[in-house]
Amino acid sequence: LVAMIAEVENEKNSSTKILYGGSVACSVKEKYIVPTVILNPPPGSRVMIEEIFGPILPIAVYRTDEEAISFSQKICRTPLTMYVFTKSKQRYEKYMARIPSGSAMRNDTLLQFAIPDFPFGGIGTSGIGKYQGKASFDAFTHKKTSQYHPCLSLLDAYGLRYHPHGGGRGKIFLAALKYSPNIPVLSLSMKILLLTSILILAG
């Protein structure tokens, strides 16, 4: 953390300033990090691209929403959480749509983590999976699919499903499938089932 602060202090950019705190007041020996507020830290600095886990607050100034969104996307395209302070619901939804995040909140911070039924977790680079409440149960539960297929020739359309597709009857089936009308609402599996039924009924 001290190295993070010192990196910014050595930055020659005139717009970067330490508004409060600084590395001088920190003590590695006593394991003390003074609360530090940094104005306009460089986008590539450690305080902007790494998880801080300490009393360091970087502040980036912007003039338009597009500038803020673009800056956020350059720093981290998929943050763990996002907080937007605005009276406008439409403005909040614009940020939600443009910046994918693990969670989001409008006009406050951290409260979404205090609700047991709200899943907590990141997305993309900020993490995979969710936990808390039912999400924790789902995260550690494996949903396994199992199916039983009875060994009845009727269910295999008397050999039409597999090569050589029931001989002459199979050729009729494949021809009918090839020249059947292209109905958008009917999937390929539905067509096969429909034609198979017709052939079985036809004898």
Side-chain angles (χ1 to χ4, degrees), residues 33-123:
I33 303 297
V34 65
T36 300
V37 181
I38 305 171
L39 178 65
N40 291 324
S45 60
R46 291 179 60 191
V47 293
M48 297 301 289
I49 62 177
E50 296 181 15
E51 292 184 286
I52 297 175
F53 292 115
I56 303 174
L57 177 64
I59 300 175
V61 178
Y62 68 94
R63 292 178 176 81
T64 65
D65 288 341
E66 289 300 319
E67 185 180 346
I69 291 171
S70 176
F71 183 81
S72 177
Q73 290 174 339
K74 289 178 181 178
I75 298 300
C76 179
R77 299 191 65 85
T78 52
L80 179 61
T81 190
M82 176 177 64
Y83 302 110
V84 181
F85 290 82
T86 177
K87 294 181 179 180
S88 170
K89 180 182 178 182
Q90 289 73 23
R91 190 182 187 191
Y92 173 70
E93 290 178 347
K94 177 170 66 174
Y95 276 85
M96 286 275 289
R98 299 281 297 279
I99 305 176
S101 60
S103 65
M105 188 170 186
R106 179 179 163 201
N107 294 338
D108 213 324
T109 64
L110 299 175
L111 292 182
Q112 77 273 30
F113 302 139
I115 301 176
D117 293 332
F118 278 14
F120 170 75
I123 179 175

